[in-house]
Structure formats: C-alpha cells, structure tokens
Amino acid sequence: MILLVLGIALWVAAHLFKRVAPERRAAMGDKGKGAVAVALLVALVLIVLGYRGAPFINVWTPPAFMVHINNLLMLVAVFVYGMSATTGRLRGKMRHPQLTAVKIWAVAHLLVNGDLASIILFGSMLAWAVAEVIVINRSEAWVRPEPGPAKKDILLVVITLVMFAVITGIHAWLGVWPFPR
C-alpha cells in the first residue's frame, strides 16, 4: 500500500508542479519537461506495483449490475478523452476533456471495486482531477477553439470503439474480465 500512496503523491505533485510553482517550473526550461515526464513515469510504475501488490481489504461489495454501468461510463470516458484531440465539431465543447475523462474513469471504477486499494487509487485520482480543474480554471483564461468538420467526430467514434476494445483486451490479458459472466 505504501508504493501505491507514494505513486499517487508523486503523480499529483508532478501534475500540479507547474501550477503551484510556475516560476520554478519555467526556470527549468525544456529540461523541466523531461524531469516531469520521468516523475510521472515513476509515479505510474509505483501506482501499478502498489495497486497490484496491495492486500485485498474488502470495504464494500458492489452489486453485479454495476459492471454494466462501469462499462458504459468507460465508453463515455474514452470518448470524452478523445475529444481533447479531435478537430471536429465537438472541439471546444468542453474545457477539460482529459480531466473530465479521468473523473468519469474514477467514478466508473469506484462503482465496481469495493476494496481499500481501489478506493484509495480511484478516489484519489477523482480528487486530483477535480483539484486540477479548479486550479487551472483559477489560473488560466480559456480560449474556446473553433469547431472543425463533422467527419472528424465520426472518426472519433470509430477510434473510441477501437480504443475501448483495446482497453478491455488489456484488462482481460491482466486477468480482469471487464464484462459480466
């Protein structure tokens, strides 16, 4: 559990660094991007190792139907995340599509995982995404991008379905079957 908590703390610190200490981050120049990237990679490794190695401590038992809600929310999360890269009509409909996707992802996983490590991981990622949005909104004005062609949104739907299949495949490969049996 210690690795999990350390990984989450490093993840949050690395992401908030440029918002909390912008002068210090700017003084690092381009090398700072590399340092933050390394910190995020280390954080991700710690989170994965900590989560996989954490003891199973059941806090609550989610009802079986939550798997369906989780899968629907995950499909929405993948789509919303993709909105950050689209150049279609949906471009600019949402200020923080990646952070919104993290929030949806976290809620979806909290609905189907009732163990302590999951609550710590997904709960803290939800709290981090909420805090990140608040900090960004207070520190930066948003210039809404112009929408592009609708055909790019159709491409986003196709990419969403492919990515959802890849993500469920990875879950199955890791031994977590994401569909009801």
Side-chain angles (χ1 to χ4, degrees):
M1 206 67 88
I2 292 172
L3 290 179
L4 176 61
V5 173
L6 287 174
I8 292 167
L10 183 57
W11 177 269
V12 171
H15 274 94
L16 288 175
F17 178 58
K18 80 175 188 178
R19 312 268 181 231
V20 175
E23 298 84 19
R24 193 164 185 200
R25 171 58 191 91
M28 295 172 73
D30 284 341
K31 290 181 182 179
K33 290 180 183 178
V36 170
V38 168
L40 290 171
L41 182 61
V42 169
L44 194 55
V45 168
L46 289 172
I47 289 169
V48 169
L49 292 176
Y51 183 71
R52 302 247 332 152
F56 185 84
I57 301 169
N58 194 42
V59 176
W60 75 291
T61 303
F65 72 86
M66 286 294 185
V67 173
H68 299 291
I69 295 170
N70 170 73
N71 289 339
L72 178 61
L73 286 173
M74 284 307 303
L75 192 58
V76 171
V78 173
F79 181 82
V80 170
Y81 190 90
M83 285 175 61
S84 67
T86 189
T87 56
R89 304 289 306 157
L90 294 174
R91 178 185 201 167
K93 295 290 183 189
M94 185 180 299
R95 181 169 182 183
H96 306 287
Q98 290 180 351
L99 290 168
T100 301
V102 169
K103 290 185 268 187
I104 296 167
W105 166 83
V107 168
H109 282 76
L110 285 168
L111 292 175
V112 293
N113 294 288
D115 62 293
L116 184 59
S118 294
I119 292 169
I120 290 170
L121 172 59
F122 302 118
S124 63
M125 288 294 131
L126 176 59
W128 161 74
V130 168
E132 189 83 27
V133 166
I134 291 168
V135 170
I136 291 169
N137 286 347
R138 288 186 178 167
S139 65
E140 298 174 11
W142 184 44
V143 178
R144 185 181 302 272
E146 290 296 319
K151 67 181 179 182
K152 296 290 187 168
D153 295 333
I154 295 168
L155 179 61
L156 174 59
V157 170
V158 172
I159 292 171
T160 296
L161 294 172
V162 170
M163 287 306 301
F164 185 75
V166 168
I167 291 167
T168 57
I170 291 170
H171 276 74
W173 178 67
L174 291 172
V176 180
W177 185 245
F179 300 105
R181 295 178 191 231

